[in-house]
Amino acid sequence: MILVTGGAGFIGANFVLDWLAQSDEPVINLDKLTYAGNLNNLASLRDDPRHVFVKGDIGDTALVASLLATHQPRALLHFAAESHVDRSILGPAAFIETNVNGTFALLEAVRAYWGGLPEADKSAFRFLHVSTDEVYGTLGPDDAPFTETTAYAPNSPYSASKAASDHLVRAYHHTYGLPTLTTNCSNNYGPYHFPEKLIPLIITNARAGKALPIYGDGQQVRDWLYVSDHCAAIRRVLAAGRLGETYNIGGWNEMANLDVVHTLCDILDVLDPKERSPLREAVGRGMDASYRDQITTVTDRPGHDRRYAIDAGKIERELGWKPAETFETGIRKTVQWYLDHQEWVRDVHSGDYLKWVEKQYGR
Ligand code: NAD
Ligand code: DAU
């Protein structure tokens, strides 16, 4: 079996669902259920004996040690993290606690477990660390995309904490021989994406008739990847990645934020026109019929990275992975998913979420 951390969050939940759709190998899922963790993401596994959910902190060494000893996983896939850049700007402490100290505690527990395994299990074991392209910092408009040898230059408390965790993982391989793999991925989107992040925030705000906030001039560029493509890449790295290596994962799909938001509005205009939605009365009272009219410019994110771009050539050459979805196909599926899962959206829009919106956009 495998042990997954953070499997109730956006990417972790997609990974667990995809894993169990493709294999019968059981998953132990350790998640603290912070504001970003949501067991509704895993509702389809409620009666599935292949999925064992454990509520707990990756920093709880005794708990992790006992899970490892009891279940004897052949691999640990580490998704758990504080993941939202804006939250890291307003309150960096939780990012250091989970992303740095938590990863350190996890590595220590795994090192002790792995050290005691019989030789064959020891060499088969894998620690796969899920990280981000943000560790490389920001690019100018004509710079080449990030490769695995680009120097680390993190700019936000979030990316600095992820960079620190990447360095710890690297050191545990170099010093102790722990069989590690690290992936650095670009911006994901798709089902179960928490609506504090750009794409789900725009979809849910648009449908609620609210403002669509664009930071600064909206010309910041991100490289978008559909989440199931990220999950497939992780499975491939786990199966065949070279020990101690890092692999960049991306969609070869750079887009400016404003273009992403325009695309979302245009898809919503077709799939959920305001005249046929709960906003029809507002349209009758003079609201513009296009969702684009709700776009509003707001104060920029402090230290906002201008451009990310991933060169995903290494994983394609060495492991034969490349994305299956284009942005056009993936984004349409994503909008449709949100239209089809309004109860999930309603549940997520809890009191805590509203407090965040007030704190971040209240100004
Ligand atoms: P998320 O915020 O949606 O989910 C994080 C999950 O980790 C939640 O379920 C949360 O409850 C859990 N968690 C947080 N602290 C924990 C702790 N101390 N112990 C146990 N569980 C804890 O994040 P995500 O977007 O799914 O990202 C998953 C991983 O992928 C992160 O490591 C992130 O840095 C990385 N990543 C994300 C993206 C992206 O676009 N979202 C891109 C590249 C890499
Ligand atoms: O690049 C990978 C990273 O992508 C991951 O490591 C992070 O966990 C993930 O959150 C994401 O970080 P970003 O900061 O790029 O994602 P976010 O969705 O927060 O923002 C995307 C872009 O949109 C960014 O340039 C900021 C901008 N933005 C975001 C929000 C929430 C807006 O213009 N308005 C908004 O309201």
Side-chain angles (χ1 to χ4, degrees), residues 266-341:
D266 297 349
I267 295 173
L268 281 169
D269 282 343
V270 174
L271 295 185
D272 189 33
K274 282 189 197 175
E275 294 90 337
R276 295 209 307 267
S277 82
L279 295 176
R280 62 184 167 276
E281 284 175 18
V283 172
R285 289 194 302 272
M287 184 190 221
D288 195 279
S290 168
Y291 289 100
R292 282 195 187 207
D293 195 55
Q294 291 165 227
I295 295 174
T296 316
T297 299
V298 300
T299 312
D300 207 352
R301 171 185 282 174
H304 199 169
D305 284 338
R306 196 67 183 165
R307 173 177 167 238
Y308 303 142
I310 277 278
D311 179 339
K314 177 177 171 182
I315 187 171
E316 184 172 345
R317 278 190 310 277
E318 288 192 10
L319 306 179
W321 174 88
K322 55 182 184 190
E325 298 287 346
T326 63
F327 189 70
E328 290 68 33
T329 57
I331 201 68
R332 228 185 140 76
K333 278 191 196 176
T334 303
V335 173
Q336 191 62 58
W337 188 89
Y338 279 87
L339 294 177
D340 294 343
H341 292 80

Side-chain angles (χ1 to χ4, degrees), residues 149-171:
T149 55
T150 301
Y152 273 35
N155 288 320
S156 71
Y158 163 69
S159 54
S161 68
K162 290 297 290 188
S165 67
D166 292 10
H167 290 325
L168 283 169
V169 171
R170 176 190 157 88

Side-chain angles (χ1 to χ4, degrees), residues 48-343:
D48 192 327
R50 298 171 306 163
H51 177 241
V52 177
F53 183 79
V54 179
K55 183 178 184 311
D57 195 317
I58 54 165
D60 182 342
T61 309
L63 171 65
V64 175
S66 112
L67 288 176
L68 291 167
T70 308
H71 299 287
Q72 302 271 305
R74 69 167 177 99
L76 187 149
L77 291 94
H78 179 30
F79 293 87
E82 289 292 337
S83 70
H84 190 33
V85 174
D86 293 322
R87 285 185 191 256
S88 82
I89 295 167
L90 286 178
F95 289 71
I96 306 305
E97 196 46 46
T98 284
N99 300 359
V100 185
N101 297 338
T103 301
F104 168 65
L106 195 62
L107 282 164
E108 276 295 89
V110 169
R111 181 165 76 91
Y113 161 72
W114 172 76
L117 289 175
E119 240 9 87
D121 293 347
K122 209 171 164 184
S123 56
F125 186 80
R126 296 289 180 269
F127 182 101
L128 191 152
H129 176 56
V130 179
S131 192
T132 171
D133 60 357
E134 301 202 9
V135 296
Y136 299 121
T138 187
L139 292 169
D142 301 321
D143 291 343
F146 303 129
T147 69
E148 288 78 359
T149 55
T150 301
Y152 273 35
N155 288 320
S156 71
Y158 163 69
S159 54
S161 68
K162 290 297 290 188
S165 67
D166 292 10
H167 290 325
L168 283 169
V169 171
R170 176 190 157 88
Y172 271 64
H173 174 70
H174 188 81
T175 304
Y176 304 113
L178 192 71
T180 65
L181 298 158
T182 296
T183 55
N184 294 91
C185 189
S186 62
N187 285 62
N188 285 215
Y189 66 97
Y192 306 111
H193 204 181
F194 193 81
E196 65 187 351
K197 308 282 171 67
L198 180 71
I199 287 180
L201 179 89
I202 295 300
I203 299 171
T204 55
N205 273 16
R207 300 195 66 252
K210 294 183 182 163
L212 310 181
I214 300 277
Y215 295 165
D217 65 3
Q219 292 309 310
Q220 302 82 7
V221 170
R222 298 291 182 267
D223 170 4
W224 293 97
L225 180 70
Y226 192 64
V227 63
S228 62
D229 277 326
H230 187 187
C231 296
I234 290 172
R235 290 196 303 275
R236 196 64 205 118
V237 172
L238 179 66
R242 285 187 291 130
L243 295 188
E245 290 290 313
T246 69
Y247 292 90
N248 281 356
I249 304 171
W252 299 104
N253 181 55
E254 291 181 54
M255 273 181 92
N257 292 339
L258 194 55
D259 294 333
V260 170
V261 174
H262 282 157
T263 304
L264 289 169
C265 291
D266 297 349
I267 295 173
L268 281 169
D269 282 343
V270 174
L271 295 185
D272 189 33
K274 282 189 197 175
E275 294 90 337
R276 295 209 307 267
S277 82
L279 295 176
R280 62 184 167 276
E281 284 175 18
V283 172
R285 289 194 302 272
M287 184 190 221
D288 195 279
S290 168
Y291 289 100
R292 282 195 187 207
D293 195 55
Q294 291 165 227
I295 295 174
T296 316
T297 299
V298 300
T299 312
D300 207 352
R301 171 185 282 174
H304 199 169
D305 284 338
R306 196 67 183 165
R307 173 177 167 238
Y308 303 142
I310 277 278
D311 179 339
K314 177 177 171 182
I315 187 171
E316 184 172 345
R317 278 190 310 277
E318 288 192 10
L319 306 179
W321 174 88
K322 55 182 184 190
E325 298 287 346
T326 63
F327 189 70
E328 290 68 33
T329 57
I331 201 68
R332 228 185 140 76
K333 278 191 196 176
T334 303
V335 173
Q336 191 62 58
W337 188 89
Y338 279 87
L339 294 177
D340 294 343
H341 292 80
Q342 294 177 35
E343 206 176 312

Side-chain angles (χ1 to χ4, degrees), residues 7 16 20 26-29 39 42 45 48-53:
V16 170
L20 291 175
V27 177
I28 309 296
N29 184 352
L39 283 179
L42 301 162
L45 299 177
D48 192 327
R50 298 171 306 163
H51 177 241
V52 177
F53 183 79

